[in-house]
Amino acid sequence: MNASDIKERNEGGAQQPGKVWLVGVGPGDPELVTVKAVRALAEAQVWLVDDLVPASIQNYASPGTQMVPVGKRGGRCSVSQTSIQALTLEHARAGRCVARVKGGDPLTFGRGGEEAAFLRGHGIEVEVVNGISSGVAAAQSLGIALTHREHCHGVTFVTAHTRGDGDPDWCALAASGTTLVIYMGMLRIASIRDALLRAGMRPDTPAAVVMQASCSDERQWTGTLLTLADAIAAGLESPAIILIGDVVGTVPVTKASAPEVLTLADLPPVFSPLPAVLLPSPTEWERGWGRGPEALLADPS
């Protein structure tokens, strides 16, 4: 159902509720927005926009679209989740098509599941439009795979704090042998380091932090678990993704720090020297070499 369908239906009788799209617009690079997201954004009459959505996404809005900022940022004055859900429901009940616009993927630490359940519980049609999560984009920016047969058997996406401001089970995560992709962890980066070290993770485990993954102002830091908090001293801050695990050690060597290229003289021989060309003796030449292949065939000796 699109905006035209809803308008036609409402013109024919009593007011009917609209539809809500939970739209993930990716990590920030506008070229990573999906075709389906672009269509949903163009259809929507109202956008309820999270704080981390880049301004360039507004280029996908139709003329006259109502923009409502409803951002939430840790440690800052924000719109409450309850208020966001109530406002979304209000617009949908008024018969409008609503795009609940979120950075990354709405179902990966985006509270998309909570919002979808709330709206469906009130009889509102909801469609989720997935986006590329910032954790995946951070790995791509570093040039690494999150899973690798030679380094790890899996990947774990985890937020640095649970509901009620608790902590994840860092002991279980340290023992998992998976790549850890940690969201919303910059304010707790030192405590994350300490918890994983206490849990037995190696101090030299490779680690990285990617701030504003895929955006023009992206910044990166690489090091080890032991030096993880140095990312703060290097100027990285939220929003950022923390990645920890052996696979992080496969970050490609940058051009500035690449080793000096070896010369041919430094390389071991690949092929054996070619054998010397054997020229026929004068006697062999006289017996046939100088008279063409027919002479050789006629005189096999």
Side-chain angles (χ1 to χ4, degrees):
M1 181 174 61
N2 56 33
S4 298
D5 296 332
I6 294 172
K7 181 179 180 181
E8 182 178 347
R9 184 187 61 186
N10 287 338
E11 287 175 350
Q15 180 73 54
Q16 297 294 318
K19 174 180 178 177
V20 175
W21 284 283
L22 300 180
V23 184
V25 295
D29 182 350
E31 292 188 349
L32 296 179
V33 180
T34 67
V35 173
K36 189 170 186 178
V38 171
R39 179 183 61 79
L41 294 172
E43 287 280 352
Q45 300 159 298
V46 179
W47 286 18
L48 303 181
V49 188
D50 271 355
D51 193 46
L52 295 179
V53 173
S56 60
I57 298 300
Q58 295 183 23
N59 294 330
Y60 299 124
S62 296
T65 300
Q66 182 180 353
M67 300 284 180
V68 183
V70 291
K72 297 194 301 296
R73 294 286 292 273
R76 303 183 186 181
C77 183
S78 304
V79 181
S80 70
Q81 185 65 31
T82 301
S83 298
I84 293 172
Q85 293 177 178
L87 186 59
T88 307
L89 179 61
E90 178 184 334
H91 281 291
R93 279 180 167 170
R96 304 183 185 102
C97 281
V98 181
R100 178 71 179 92
V101 189
K102 298 172 175 286
D105 180 81
L107 301 183
T108 305
F109 304 119
R111 295 194 175 180
E114 298 174 37
E115 295 183 22
F118 172 81
L119 293 166
R120 287 168 179 155
H122 286 82
I124 303 299
E125 180 184 356
V126 178
E127 182 176 352
V128 177
V129 181
N130 295 108
I132 296 175
S133 178
S134 55
V136 176
Q140 188 279 330
S141 294
L142 289 168
I144 65 171
L146 290 174
T147 60
H148 194 299
R149 290 188 300 174
E150 296 180 6
H151 299 282
C152 64
H153 64 270
V155 56
T156 302
F157 296 92
V158 60
T159 178
H161 51 86
T162 61
R163 191 167 189 172
D165 209 32
D167 288 321
D169 188 344
W170 294 115
C171 289
L173 292 169
S176 69
T178 63
T179 305
L180 301 184
V181 181
I182 305 172
Y183 292 67
M184 296 171 279
M186 293 304 287
L187 295 179
R188 301 187 176 197
I189 195 167
S191 63
I192 291 171
R193 173 203 60 198
D194 295 343
L196 290 173
L197 288 172
R198 286 195 301 269
M201 185 173 278
R202 299 189 332 269
D204 64 347
T205 302
V209 177
V210 181
M211 172 183 165
Q212 297 282 21
S214 85
C215 298
S216 59
D217 56 347
E218 174 186 300
R219 296 185 62 185
Q220 300 179 1
W221 173 91
T222 56
T224 66
L225 175 61
L226 185 63
T227 62
L228 184 59
D230 290 352
I232 299 295
L236 277 73
E237 59 183 8
S238 295
I241 296 292
I242 302 170
L243 302 98
I244 303 173
D246 287 339
V247 75
V248 181
T250 65
V251 171
V253 178
T254 61
K255 186 175 182 181
S257 60
E260 184 179 354
V261 177
L262 298 176
T263 65
L264 289 176
D266 298 318
L267 300 175
V270 178
F271 301 105
S272 299
L274 292 174
V277 177
L278 299 178
L279 296 176
S281 66
T283 303
E284 291 172 325
W285 186 269
E286 292 173 356
R287 289 168 49 191
W289 283 95
R291 291 180 285 133
E294 296 82 1
L296 290 174
L297 291 173
D299 185 7
S301 62

